[in-house]
Amino acid sequence: MKYHMDHIQELLIEKLAGTISDQDNLHLDSALERDYPTQLLWKAMSDQFEAAEGEHFLNNLNEHHAWLHIVKKIGEDTQVSRTDKRKALITGFNLKKIAAAAALLLVIGISGYLWLNSNAQRLPAISGVRPSYPTENPHRGDQAVLTLSNGESIILDSVETGVLVKTGNIEVSKTADGQLIYAVSRGGINENPAGLNTITTPIGGQYQLMLPDGSKVWLNTASSLKFPNIFRGERREVELIGEAYFQVKKNAEMPFIVKSKRGEIEVLGTGFNVMAYEEEPQMKTTLIEGSVKVKGRETMVLKPGEQAISNGQKTRIVRVDVNEATAWKSNMFQFNDTPVESVMREASRWYNVDVIYNGKIPARSFTGKISREVRIDEFLEMLSYLGVRFKVEGKRVIVL
């Protein structure tokens, strides 16, 4: 018998809440006896339900503010039993909405009990996956190409550690941990030739470098950063396409400027993330520490924990979980009520696939973490548990 995972998720949540009907409970028992994926989900959900004291777990499966309001209201009534609390928590919401929000299972369920468990059984193949499909993970460690101001290109992941280039009193070296360092020796700064360098990461690659002023940059996949041999004048300017995390060395005399097609970020010394891929409709600047100015048609100052979202015309500021913006540095995907389209753009950049929608884009969103070490077929399998279907043809992923 084939079990529809959307329906199974609803029944599992009802079972935890104590609101499942006898008929549905029989159907669920059948699924738990016969269907291995259902067993995995039930194990993950029941373990987390008990570990998180029930209500907290259900709270995480729904809209944050609405749930907090209900939990608080229920908590004020000390006469309400634990079972009644579960019922109240669950009956106030559309179960399909809860099932969609159950992307939390990407963290606590599927990834924890299936893909991270070497003894776990494999799930059925995704519809349309062909044997020729490149299921290996594209990530093979730190990868980047450095193009020097003289036009010379160096493939950084293929060269030995040590000094790579010496130009004037600028020394470019690669450390044992794969970091690229631009160092300027004392004195004779005017001997340094002018010119711009570009470091570019491929699909599935990332790289860390130290700029001539001592600022550190982590470059995400399919990104490029253009920077000078040495910073001169009143500004330290770099140009970004893609995504990078910056730790800027303080210099009140020379502000650090990150330029992109949708605006500029100005900073004296701070830690922040900039996502400015050309295929994304918006540039996102997330401040971790310090203070930055985001410049477009208007100038806005960010505080730690804030994100500026700009489409090139207008900019707005929102409070965010900074861990979501910087999860890629830890080699993770992290989503927080993220629409399907945004999730698939990120997957496209990491796995080097073309995403095509067969009709209307599904009105689904995801919350949870997935390791970027999983293969594309595993990534899609996780998402398919939330009701989005895929078909794979070569390097094309078709969202049905």
Side-chain angles (χ1 to χ4, degrees):
M1 180 184 296
K2 186 176 180 180
Y3 300 95
H4 194 283
M5 193 50 63
D6 267 2
H7 187 216
I8 291 298
Q9 286 177 356
E10 292 177 13
L11 296 184
L12 289 173
I13 295 170
E14 286 184 336
K15 190 176 182 71
L16 287 174
T19 61
I20 191 169
S21 68
D22 291 341
Q23 182 176 353
D24 285 340
N25 197 39
L26 287 173
H27 178 71
L28 183 57
D29 284 345
S30 174
L32 286 169
E33 183 179 346
R34 302 167 183 266
D35 189 55
Y36 182 67
T38 300
Q39 296 168 15
L40 290 176
L41 293 180
W42 172 243
K43 170 77 169 123
M45 292 177 71
S46 56
D47 284 354
Q48 286 295 314
F49 185 88
E50 293 303 322
E53 297 183 354
E55 293 87 358
H56 178 69
F57 174 71
L58 292 176
N59 173 56
N60 284 333
L61 293 179
N62 268 274
E63 292 88 356
H64 181 66
H65 295 294
W67 276 109
L68 286 181
H69 174 73
I70 287 186
V71 171
K72 181 179 179 181
K73 185 175 181 181
I74 293 172
E76 291 172 352
D77 184 356
T78 58
Q79 302 303 314
V80 178
S81 69
R82 181 178 178 86
T83 300
D84 289 336
K85 285 183 181 181
R86 293 180 184 179
K87 290 181 180 179
L89 281 168
I90 204 70
T91 55
F93 290 86
N94 183 306
L95 285 173
K96 289 187 177 180
K97 208 166 189 179
I98 299 175
L104 181 65
L105 298 177
L106 296 178
V107 182
I108 64 168
I110 300 172
S111 61
Y113 284 85
L114 184 63
W115 283 276
L116 300 185
N117 183 344
S118 59
N119 297 319
Q121 301 178 38
R122 303 298 299 172
L123 293 181
I126 302 171
S127 171
V129 175
R130 299 178 178 180
S132 61
Y133 185 71
T135 57
E136 73 276 6
N137 191 308
H139 184 224
R140 296 182 295 275
D142 295 325
Q143 297 176 301
V145 175
L146 174 65
T147 303
L148 302 171
S149 56
N150 62 8
E152 179 185 354
S153 293
I154 302 173
I155 301 175
L156 296 174
D157 47 300
S158 66
V159 296
E160 299 293 330
T161 59
V163 177
L164 304 180
V165 180
K166 287 192 71 172
T167 305
N169 60 334
I170 297 175
E171 190 173 272
V172 184
S173 58
K174 178 184 175 182
T175 64
D177 61 359
Q179 181 183 178
L180 185 70
I181 296 179
Y182 267 72
V184 182
S185 62
R186 293 181 179 274
I189 288 180
N190 290 331
E191 297 175 8
N192 290 295
L196 294 175
N197 308 281
T198 303
I199 183 169
T200 304
T201 54
I203 294 289
Q206 55 193 50
Y207 216 84
Q208 181 182 349
L209 68 149
M210 182 182 290
L211 297 174
D213 68 332
S215 296
K216 294 182 179 180
V217 183
W218 287 257
L219 204 60
N220 200 358
T221 182
S223 302
S224 68
L225 185 75
K226 188 176 290 186
F227 57 96
N229 285 322
I230 189 168
F231 293 110
R232 289 193 176 98
E234 298 179 351
R235 291 154 54 107
R236 294 172 286 168
E237 290 189 358
V238 299
E239 296 180 25
L240 173 69
I241 297 175
E243 185 168 18
Y245 178 84
F246 295 85
Q247 280 188 352
V248 176
K249 191 168 184 179
K250 291 184 178 180
N251 184 344
E253 302 296 324
M254 188 183 292
F256 191 95
I257 309 295
V258 180
K259 302 177 70 174
S260 78
K261 289 187 175 181
R262 293 193 178 93
E264 292 185 1
I265 299 105
E266 177 182 335
V267 58
L268 296 178
T270 189
F272 62 101
N273 192 84
V274 182
M275 192 274 285
Y277 286 105
E278 293 184 335
E279 67 271 20
E280 292 287 343
Q282 301 167 324
M283 178 178 80
K284 296 181 179 179
T285 305
T286 309
L287 182 61
I288 313 303
E289 58 181 348
S291 178
V292 300
K293 293 180 181 178
V294 178
K295 297 181 177 181
R297 291 195 169 186
E298 53 186 329
T299 299
M300 295 185 174
V301 179
L302 292 184
K303 298 176 182 178
E306 291 183 337
Q307 182 180 82
I309 303 174
S310 175
N311 60 8
Q313 302 296 320
K314 294 182 179 180
T315 301
R316 59 188 176 92
I317 295 178
V318 297
R319 295 288 301 180
V320 296
D321 176 1
V322 296
N323 293 320
E324 180 185 349
T326 60
W328 63 269
K329 285 182 60 194
S330 302
N331 208 23
M332 297 290 294
F333 296 105
Q334 182 166 334
F335 306 118
N336 182 16
D337 199 23
T338 306
V340 169
E341 194 172 9
S342 294
V343 171
M344 296 311 296
R345 280 198 299 268
E346 193 165 344
S348 176
R349 286 191 293 267
W350 185 245
Y351 292 110
N352 193 21
V353 294
D354 296 322
V355 178
I356 299 170
Y357 295 91
N358 186 11
K360 188 177 180 181
I361 299 174
R364 290 294 184 109
S365 59
F366 303 106
T367 297
K369 293 181 182 179
I370 306 175
S371 169
R372 297 208 299 186
E373 293 292 344
V374 304
R375 303 191 310 264
I376 178 64
D377 58 329
E378 295 171 326
F379 179 89
L380 296 178
E381 191 73 60
M382 292 181 193
L383 299 187
S384 71
Y385 274 84
L386 305 170
V388 179
R389 296 185 301 122
F390 303 93
K391 182 178 181 181
V392 179
E393 296 179 348
K395 281 198 168 186
R396 298 197 315 163
V397 175
I398 303 171
V399 184
L400 303 174

